[in-house]
Amino acid sequence: MYDPTVARLTYRALLGRRRALILGALPLLLLVIAVAVRALAGADDQTAADVLGGFALATMVPIIGVIAGTGAIGPEIDDGSVVYLLSKPIKRPTIIFTKLIVAIAVTMVFSAVPTLLAGLILNGNGQQVAVAYTIAALVASIAYAALFLLLGTVSRHAVVFGLVYALVWEALFGSLVPGARTLSVQQWSLAVAQKVADGNLVTSDVGLPTATVLLAGVTVLATWYAGQKLRTLKLAGEE
Amino acid sequence: MTTLNIDHVSRWFGNVVAVNDITMTIGPGVTGLLGPNGAGKSTLINMMGGFLAPSTGSVTLDGQPTWRNEAIYKHIGIVPEREAMYDFLTGREFVLANAELHGLGAKAAHEALATVQMEYAQDRKIATYSKGMRQRVKMASALVHNPSLLLLDEPFNGMDPRQRMQLMDLLRRMGDEGRTVLFSSHILEEVEQLAWHIEVIVAGRHAASGDFRKIRRLMTDRPHRYLVRSSDDRALAAALIADPSTSGIEVDLAEGALRVQAVDFGRFTALLPKVARDHGIRLLTVSPSDESLESVFSYLVAA
Ligand SMILES: Nc1ncnc2c1ncn2[C@@H]1O[C@H](COP(=O)(O)OP(=O)(O)OP(=O)(O)O)[C@@H](O)[C@H]1O
Ligand SMILES: [Mg+2]
């Protein structure tokens, strides 16, 4: 199911200089914001929850997910170099699963680690806010990586679609339209985080059982479907 | 013994028919797939390699379908037409990765790099390679698992004459070893030098098939067209049409010239000056009007 060579190639592609810079920019911004807020407003649990919920989880995590998820396969399909993977006696689902693991790992490192650090800077993990949002980021990383890996497999414009989803659906729609929230990775991961945090600083519109089922379902389905799409990926000549 | 069977294969993209009902069998030895740009060579090779489904018909390797069958890649080595590789790797890392994906190790990678004489640059990033170097590293990645079928799409593109010679020697050797080697090209001379057997495709159709002598003959026996200007086109036309070496003459008023189609090239070139002299006509221009490879190809399709 997991091929170390495919993983190595994917890591090298994802963490190449330019992409690594893009991946690092938002986490850096989060840390800068955390330091500034702490310096200006002092430690406050509600403020910490606002920054982590409003910026880290609603904006940074999905964008990192888009970059890592689509970047794990999209560029290879676009330029045709994926032919070097496809011309090997390796099961297509193995390629997808390996790339998923890499995308999840990269998304987690670039989103959960800075979330934890920012939480510690903001209020020293008061009321478990930092840990709760870190767990939300970890959980969301899995679902985002799977969704955007699928998007990278099926669409040439995966990054654009991914960003539209991340910014419009997750960040905007998800906070304005109540119905949309049920179908939001962000809300599902918040449902998990809610169990960890003290008090009601972290809340979700979705119950934990529903959230768990949806998270697992979306991840498995997206991964399975991406494997199917790769099996029938057509490599045509340059148009 | 590896045989690739292409059975009534067509492939279209929307309205474009890229490959039109082609049937051929590719056996051991070196086969050249010859055709002008846009003939459908890459489309056909992509279907042979299992990267594209035929719209109709079937492609099988020793009876096994190539489409959606990753097990066949144990036996197939591929040199794609497209340039893109993992540019951020060194040549050695790239070939090693290809070896590992076949369950092989550093030894296989090293041998493949030695075969294409790329050891000297193996530790440089692929991004810094010339086109010929890329082509050779692609070749190494295709050879790493000792495949019995090699599919090469325009492998000589971008190579200098010395590299071309080396690659030809290598492919010849692989053919001699009993492997099935298929390469595409739009250059007749290239195919003639290397291929034991030639398949010509033009505009998606299978135009001709045979050894280079047969293909040469088909190409040189075709009617030759000339554009002729003279002091008296009408008189010249009347005199020429009487001879069996000329199969057709048109008076092109716009050009102010004759368009002559000659079936017997040798006889016609002797006839023309003689006829002109006998009738006191001065020849002003005599030029072959369709010497391009394209027209040679289109003749083959019409035949
Ligand atoms: N993905 C595609 N979508 C639409 N048309 C395509 C596609 N791939 C190929 N074609 C068309 O199919 C025809 C054959 O293309 P193909 O690339 O197979 O030719 P070729 O013989 O390899 O040409 P070249 O010598 O330029 O490489 C062309 O008309 C091309 O425009
Ligand atoms: Mg081509």
Side-chain angles (χ1 to χ4, degrees), chain B residues 22 50 59 64-65 71 99 117 181 211 233 263 265 294 300:
Chain B
I22 289 186
V59 181
Q64 301 290 316
Q117 295 167 320
V181 179
D211 65 7
D233 285 349
V263 274
F265 167 73
E294 306 292 311
L300 282 178

Side-chain angles (χ1 to χ4, degrees), chain A residues 214-237:
Chain A
L214 287 172
L215 276 168
V218 160
T219 305
V220 171
L221 264 180
T223 308
W224 172 81
Y225 191 57
Q228 293 306 304
K229 287 315 255 187
L230 196 63
R231 280 193 74 193
T232 53
L233 182 78
K234 295 175 185 64
L235 285 185

Side-chain angles (χ1 to χ4, degrees), chain A residues 3 5-6 8-9 12-13 76-92 156 228 231-238, chain B residues 11 13 42 46 51-53 67-68 70-71 73-74 76 78 80-82 84-86 88-89 93-94 96-98 100-102 125 138 141:
Chain A
D3 187 290
T5 308
V6 175
R8 196 175 71 230
L9 292 173
R12 296 273 309 255
E76 261 166 293
I77 292 180
D78 278 357
D79 71 15
S81 57
V82 74
V83 68
Y84 294 102
L85 297 185
L86 295 182
S87 60
K88 302 296 182 295
I90 300 176
K91 296 243 172 292
R92 287 9 181 182
R156 290 197 149 213
Q228 293 306 304
R231 280 193 74 193
T232 53
L233 182 78
K234 295 175 185 64
L235 285 185
E238 278 160 296
Chain B
R11 171 74 210 195
F13 298 100
S42 299
N46 277 331
F51 300 119
L52 191 66
W67 172 242
R68 294 185 71 164
E70 54 260 3
Y73 296 117
K74 284 198 200 86
I76 305 185
I78 285 165
E81 179 181 36
R82 292 182 73 167
M85 301 162 80
Y86 293 83
F88 50 85
L89 299 178
E93 288 168 339
F94 178 73
L96 179 61
N98 278 276
E100 287 176 358
L101 292 168
H102 278 293
K125 287 251 159 62
K138 278 156 98 178
S141 78

Side-chain angles (χ1 to χ4, degrees), chain A residues 236-239, chain B residues 13 16 18 36-44 81 154 186:
Chain A
E238 278 160 296
E239 286 127 87
Chain B
F13 298 100
V16 181
N37 289 115
K41 303 183 294 294
S42 299
T43 306
L44 192 58
E81 179 181 36
E154 312 254 359
H186 54 266

Side-chain angles (χ1 to χ4, degrees), chain B residues 143 189 224:
Chain B
L143 288 179
E189 286 71 26
H224 288 241

Side-chain angles (χ1 to χ4, degrees), chain B residues 18 45 53 60 120 125 142 147 163 183 203 215 224-225 230 248 266 292 300:
Chain B
I45 289 184
T60 51
Y120 76 99
K125 287 251 159 62
Q163 294 169 342
F183 73 101
I215 302 294
H224 288 241
R225 287 165 209 280
S230 68
S292 73
L300 282 178

